Each structure stands twice: as C-alpha cells, then as structure tokens.
Amino acid sequence: MCRWIGKSKRLAKYRATCSVYLLLAACLTACLPTISSAQSRLAAGFESPNSVSGTLAETAERQSQGGLDRFQDWKKRLADRTGFTFGVDHQTQYLGSNSSRSPSGAATNVFRVYGTWTIVGRDTANDGALIFKFENRSAIGSKISTQALGPSLGYAGLFASTYSDQGWILTNLYWRQRFAGGRGSFVIGQVDVNDYANVNALASPWTAFTNFEFQQQSTFSAPAQGLGAALLWRLNDNWAVMGGIANANGDPSDPWESARKLFESGETFQHLGIGWSPKWGDRGNQLLQLTLWHVDERTDAGVPEGHGLSFTASAHSGAWLPFFRAGYADGGGRKLDRSVSIGTGYEARGGKDLAGIGLNWGRAPGSSRNQYTLEAFYRYDITDFLQITPEFQYVLNPANDPTTGSIAILGLRLRAYF
C-alpha cells in the first residue's frame, strides 16, 4: 500500500502516516502473545483532564456530595437508562498586562455543551460511544481575546490557549470504541489531538494552567480541531502506545469545508507516542511519555513541513503533582522550536482547590533570545459548581519583541459548570 501511495505526488504525503501505523501494528503484533486474560480486562481509553469524558468524570465526583447531588443522581439515572450523559459550563477570563503596547488587556467568554452517548456494548469492556462538544468562544466588548494577547505583545506563545474569538465551533464529534476487553481503543471523527496526545493531569486550560507551555507545548504541532483518528493499545500493565492522524488544516468553525480540503490536499499531522505509568488508573498523574510527530507542508497556508518530539514526565506524591516537559521542533510553523518546562501542582483543601506554578524556557525559530515564562495560579472552589482562579504570568525577554525586557500579566478566571 505504501509503495502505491508513493507513485502519486499528492498522496506521497501519506507515506509518513503509513510508517506510523506500520510501526504501531508491529508493536501490537509483538505484544499480543504476552497479554493475559486478567490484563485484557484493564480499560484503555482517551480520557484526559481536557477531554469530554475526563471533564464529566471530574464534575460528577465533585458534585456527588455537594449542593447539586440530586442533579448528579438524575444524570446518573439517565446514563444508566439511556447511556447518555452531558455537561454544560461557562468560563470568563480577563488578562491585564503592564505593557505599553495597546491593547494591553483582553477578556473572553467561553460557553460549552458536551457529552457522551454510549450506544454499543453499554456496561461492557468493549463499549462504543459518540462524543460531542460544541463551544462558543468570544471576546468581551471591545477587548481582544485572551488567546490573542500574547502574540500582540511580542510573546512567542499563548498566555491563554483556548480563550479565542472564533464564535460557534465544533471541537468534538467522534466515535470512541474500546475492544479486546478494553485493552485497545480508537477514536475517529472530529477530534482534538490536544485532548489525548502529549498530555498530563494539569493539561486542562479550564481548571489548571492556562499558558500553552504548561498545558501543552508550543513545540508540539498539533492542529486545530478537525477530522482525524487515533489508536491506543495497552502493551501490558504499565506500557501503552498511541498513533494517530489528523487534518493539518483543521478548522472547527467550518468543519465540513476543512474536511473537504483535507481530501483535496492530503495534508495531515501524524503522531506516535509510547508511555509508561506505574499505575494505569492514575496515568494522568504518574506518566513518562515520548511523542514523535510529523506534519505535511501546508501549501495554501504557506507553512513548511515539520517534525519534532515531545517528552513529558509527571508524578503524584501526596498532594503534590510535579511535572517536566521538553520539546523540539524543526519546521511546521511552530512559535518555539525548543522548550523546557518544569513545575508542580498542589491539591489544597483536601483536593477541592488546586494551586500551580511553572517555569518555561523557550527559543523561537531564527532567534537567539532566551524567552522565560512563569505562571502561578490558585483555583478556589467556591461551591461544587463555581470556581474562581486568580493567576499571574511573567515573561522575561519576549522572543518576538527585542525592545521589551519583560511583561507582567495579572488574570482572573471564573468557571461555572453543571
């Protein structure tokens, strides 16, 4: 198949994709004989703090014994009867800086509706579900979005990764299927690669770090939400591999048009990762993961081909959640081509609240300037459905503005979720 693909200039872009899946298939073939019947019952999935399933699980846990316990009981009965569960939340974020540039402040509202509908094999290890998420992201009043503030001030990165001004967007509409007794799973449809690749327990911009360097990495060239697929397989109790492909020109504001362009251009993003966790059930908190990626040249966008690798390590010790991230990129239009981050989260008030601090070093393509970023936040749970998060960010030597020595940013997030 790969030899046939190579005959066409347009479809030659798929050769790297074929290599990803051939390598993945080889791993699966080599490891299948070692799987025991007990291991086959262990679940595999794409849940993360930033995914729909992860968000719903955290919400249910927090509200099961609070003021919304009856509402959660009703949602649980609905899920037991129909396989359908859902959530709604609203976020507001404000960021203000000491920059002399204008605008120096930004504000964004985000409204989301999301859910899962388990249609196949409900209450079994081989269940299949439809996952959906619709969002409205909009700047407030005359302000720019908080996502746009960093680049407008010469920062090589994003102060806020998801708080944009895109209006209504479709960020998730995909099928998730488990198989082999829950050991394997795949997703296919309108996906967000940042939901499941190169993530850890502090990867949610809604409840943890908001700067992209700590939520993800600017050296990781995952595209915007679009048509894609990924496969995850548990090798044993500790090891897992994941490979996937996605539309390199994803556009959640017009998913149908971006899907049409994908089939015309064949421009894709491919990733392959391997991870180890001492405890699979706590893999978001305790994980070593290496991810390789490649992205095709985006002809219409004028972005060259690129490749890179990302490494993340996270641990869980008592209330502490330390992490380490490192990434390298060559091409692909990335804001940074080298990045190293270190930091920790802290579960305060018995896990109700979350504090975090992170420090990043980055180097932008073609720049010799060392950019340093600090973020600190404290998420306070006012009730079991309302959170407020004051935050502070500080940038030393913004890479895209050599005339500025530093930028200080104060911010506030408010989240209501049901």
Side-chain angles (χ1 to χ4, degrees), residues 39-84:
Q39 290 171 335
S40 68
R41 292 193 296 269
L42 295 173
F46 286 82
E47 293 80 5
S48 76
N50 200 30
S51 70
V52 169
S53 298
T55 302
L56 289 171
E58 183 181 9
T59 299
E61 181 181 359
R62 290 182 177 277
Q63 296 180 345
S64 60
Q65 297 179 347
L68 294 180
D69 56 336
R70 291 185 179 181
F71 178 59
Q72 284 299 322
D73 286 343
W74 173 79
K75 287 174 63 175
K76 185 177 185 303
R77 291 194 301 271
L78 177 66
D80 291 341
R81 187 172 67 253
T82 66
F84 180 80

Side-chain angles (χ1 to χ4, degrees), residues 1-18:
M1 179 179 178
C2 290
R3 189 180 304 126
W4 176 82
I5 289 175
K7 294 179 181 179
S8 166
K9 183 177 180 180
R10 173 181 289 181
L11 295 181
K13 297 173 181 178
Y14 287 113
R15 284 182 293 181
T17 304
C18 288

Side-chain angles (χ1 to χ4, degrees), residues 90-415:
H90 182 273
Q91 285 84 202
T92 298
Q93 183 185 50
Y94 171 78
L95 296 178
S97 76
N98 66 345
S99 173
S100 58
R101 289 192 179 192
S102 181
S104 60
T108 304
N109 276 326
V110 180
F111 172 75
R112 309 190 302 167
V113 180
Y114 45 88
T116 67
W117 185 17
T118 304
I119 304 173
V120 176
R122 195 176 350 140
D123 299 324
T124 72
N126 295 325
D127 62 340
L130 181 68
I131 314 295
F132 67 90
K133 182 166 59 175
F134 302 90
E135 305 184 32
N136 184 279
R137 304 179 180 182
S138 57
I140 298 175
S142 60
K143 299 286 187 182
I144 64 171
S145 72
T146 54
Q147 184 188 75
L149 182 62
S152 74
L153 299 183
Y155 177 62
L158 299 173
F159 295 149
S161 62
T162 54
Y163 294 81
S164 65
D165 192 22
Q166 295 174 280
W168 282 103
I169 55 177
L170 176 65
T171 51
N172 283 169
L173 186 61
Y174 63 85
W175 183 263
R176 190 268 302 145
Q177 181 69 50
R178 294 188 177 100
F179 59 92
R183 175 159 296 279
S185 60
F186 67 84
V187 295
I188 184 167
Q190 179 82 356
V191 301
D192 185 347
V193 176
N194 286 320
D195 279 354
Y196 49 78
N198 196 40
V199 297
N200 62 12
L202 301 173
S204 172
W206 317 112
T207 61
F209 289 99
T210 186
N211 190 292
F212 195 62
E213 300 314 311
F214 309 111
Q215 179 239 329
Q216 190 44 270
Q217 287 174 310
S218 288
T219 54
F220 187 63
S221 193
Q225 298 90 349
L227 192 62
L231 171 68
L232 183 146
W233 183 263
R234 288 283 311 282
L235 302 179
N236 53 37
D237 287 343
N238 307 110
W239 291 91
V241 293
M242 177 190 292
I245 184 172
N247 186 352
N249 299 290
D251 181 1
S253 66
D254 194 351
W256 320 119
E257 178 64 14
S258 67
R260 184 189 67 80
K261 290 182 178 179
L262 167 65
F263 291 108
E264 285 187 353
S265 69
E267 296 169 355
T268 63
F269 170 81
Q270 313 102 38
H271 61 93
L272 177 66
I274 184 166
W276 176 88
S277 176
K279 187 178 180 182
W280 181 253
D282 196 31
R283 61 191 180 279
N285 293 324
Q286 303 181 74
L287 181 68
L288 297 176
Q289 180 175 289
L290 179 67
T291 302
L292 310 177
W293 61 266
H294 171 268
V295 64
D296 296 329
E297 178 185 5
R298 298 168 57 198
T299 305
D300 289 348
V303 179
E305 177 187 16
H307 61 271
L309 56 87
S310 295
F311 174 77
T312 181
S314 54
H316 192 184
S317 178
W320 293 95
L321 300 166
F323 67 89
F324 172 82
R325 285 183 174 274
Y328 168 78
D330 183 1
R334 303 313 301 152
K335 292 180 173 61
L336 297 177
D337 57 17
R338 282 163 284 183
S339 175
V340 177
S341 299
I342 189 170
T344 187
Y346 179 76
E347 298 172 320
R349 289 206 305 151
K352 291 183 179 181
D353 298 350
L354 178 67
I357 186 168
L359 178 65
N360 169 263
W361 166 84
R363 187 76 65 83
S367 173
S368 60
R369 204 174 200 206
N370 294 314
Q371 176 180 274
Y372 297 94
T373 304
L374 171 74
E375 181 181 1
F377 70 90
Y378 188 94
R379 191 197 72 216
Y380 177 69
D381 282 35
I382 302 172
T383 69
D384 59 345
F385 61 87
L386 188 62
Q387 300 170 335
I388 187 168
T389 307
E391 59 183 294
F392 172 73
Q393 298 187 47
Y394 183 79
V395 179
L396 184 65
N397 301 330
N400 295 331
D401 183 6
T403 64
T404 298
S406 64
I407 309 171
I409 305 98
L410 285 175
L412 191 68
R413 283 179 287 167
L414 184 67
R415 177 176 183 248

